[in-house]
Amino acid sequence: MKTTASCLKVVVFGGPQVGKSAVTVRFLTKRFIGEYSSGTDCSYQMMFRYEDAALKVEIVDCSSSSDLEKNKEVDTADAVIVVYSVIDSESLKSAHTILDFLNKRVHFSVPVLLLGNKTDLEHLRQVSRDDVMRMTRNYGCRHCEVSAAESYTGVNRPFQQLLADGLETRRTRLGHVKRRKSLFENVSRRLGNVFRRKSLEEVLPKRRLPTVVENMNRRSV
Ligand SMILES: Nc1nc2c(ncn2[C@@H]2O[C@H](COP(=O)(O)OP(=O)(O)OP(=O)(O)O)[C@@H](O)[C@H]2O)c(=O)[nH]1
């Protein structure tokens, strides 16, 4: 199994108690763990098999108490998940603020997944599906609703899709940097040629360069 050189980084945001840790741990371990220490950032690293290669994935679970503006994780993210809870309308407002922040802050097109959690509590739903659809359209992000408590498969599918999107974006970005580099090298080579030619033209009339034949003659003397 080949090992990919670097690590794919996924950053998870969301309001308080929406289940950021729960969905992350569900994806990574297949288990639902009810309680986590609240208000602390966590980072998880795992190896996955992807397209016959080992892929290292780092998931950074940003606590809701983290100051968004000071968050540096997002600058190096390959993908972002914004979690809300379907039973908490305030959490959708937080998600809106986060998507807005990402829209301004992230310069390259990092794939974003808007992930609704706690669908097992559908009878307590506060979040309107229309509002979510509007946000998804406005920000051009993927959307899915799951229950970390109920289903591993439900959580696994959108995560897998996001990892695939993240890898694709990284490849495109790297390809773009290489193309930009070779374009730059081309231009500088051409400029170099122009200046070299110009300086020869300036020198030639004053001091004629010896021809190959003259050089041979000199050596044979
Ligand atoms: N019913 C239900 N409860 C859930 C689900 N996911 C998480 N919870 C519960 O929601 C609470 C918050 O979950 P966490 O994973 O700690 O949430 P968080 O977003 O990481 O919380 P902060 O660290 O405070 O930001 C816990 O009591 C979980 O047991 C779910 O899918 N269904």
Side-chain angles (χ1 to χ4, degrees):
M1 189 157 68
K2 289 180 285 174
T3 305
T4 43
S6 53
C7 176
L8 198 77
K9 181 171 171 180
V10 179
V11 180
V12 184
F13 289 106
Q17 296 293 296
V18 292
K20 295 181 292 296
S21 311
V23 287
T24 305
V25 172
R26 183 63 137 157
F27 168 63
L28 294 173
T29 69
K30 300 191 179 179
R31 290 191 303 145
F32 173 64
I33 299 168
E35 296 305 320
Y36 302 88
S37 51
S38 193
T40 43
D41 289 0
C42 294
S43 173
Y44 309 85
Q45 289 196 358
M46 288 280 285
M47 296 299 290
F48 286 89
R49 203 187 159 85
Y50 188 81
E51 288 180 352
D52 272 343
L55 171 68
K56 191 171 166 188
V57 175
E58 180 188 12
I59 302 187
V60 183
D61 173 353
C62 290
S63 151
S64 49
S65 60
S66 304
D67 186 346
L68 263 188
E69 295 299 329
K70 289 185 189 148
N71 190 298
K72 296 272 176 249
E73 300 292 352
V74 70
D75 296 335
T76 49
D78 294 295
V80 177
I81 301 179
V82 181
V83 185
Y84 66 90
S85 160
V86 298
I87 61 165
D88 177 4
S89 54
E90 282 303 309
S91 74
L92 193 70
K93 288 185 191 159
S94 301
H96 199 285
T97 308
I98 295 163
L99 288 174
D100 213 42
F101 158 79
L102 291 172
N103 207 31
K104 289 174 193 144
R105 172 79 168 266
V106 178
H107 301 298
F108 44 87
S109 53
V110 168
V112 176
L113 167 67
L114 178 62
L115 188 67
N117 186 33
K118 308 196 185 184
T119 54
D120 54 300
L121 304 175
E122 186 63 39
H123 54 289
L124 300 174
R125 178 182 276 273
Q126 286 185 359
V127 165
S128 132
R129 287 199 174 83
D130 287 347
D131 288 350
V132 175
M133 285 306 135
R134 214 170 298 123
M135 273 168 67
T136 307
R137 265 199 309 274
N138 284 350
Y139 292 102
C141 52
R142 282 190 183 275
H143 172 247
C144 193
E145 288 190 349
V146 299
S147 163
E150 214 168 55
S151 160
Y152 161 71
T153 323
V155 173
N156 184 47
R157 206 176 305 120
F159 265 83
Q160 293 282 356
Q161 181 62 61
L162 190 72
L163 292 185
D165 287 352
L167 266 180
E168 192 54 42
T169 310
R170 171 181 281 206
R171 282 176 190 152
T172 312
R173 214 187 318 150
L174 288 178
H176 182 61
V177 170
K178 272 189 198 151
R179 268 201 304 281
R180 278 181 54 184
K181 196 173 163 201
S182 63
L183 180 70
F184 172 78
E185 280 167 355
N186 251 341
V187 170
S188 61
R189 204 177 310 126
R190 281 176 194 199
L191 280 175
N193 286 344
V194 168
F195 284 118
R196 254 197 305 284
R197 233 177 279 140
K198 195 177 172 199
S199 61
L200 276 181
E201 281 160 9
E202 281 166 3
V203 169
L204 273 174
K206 293 175 202 157
R207 280 182 59 207
R208 197 171 61 84
L209 292 174
T211 62
V212 177
V213 178
E214 281 171 341
N215 264 336
M216 282 170 65
N217 289 345
R218 263 185 223 141
R219 243 180 265 132
S220 61
V221 173

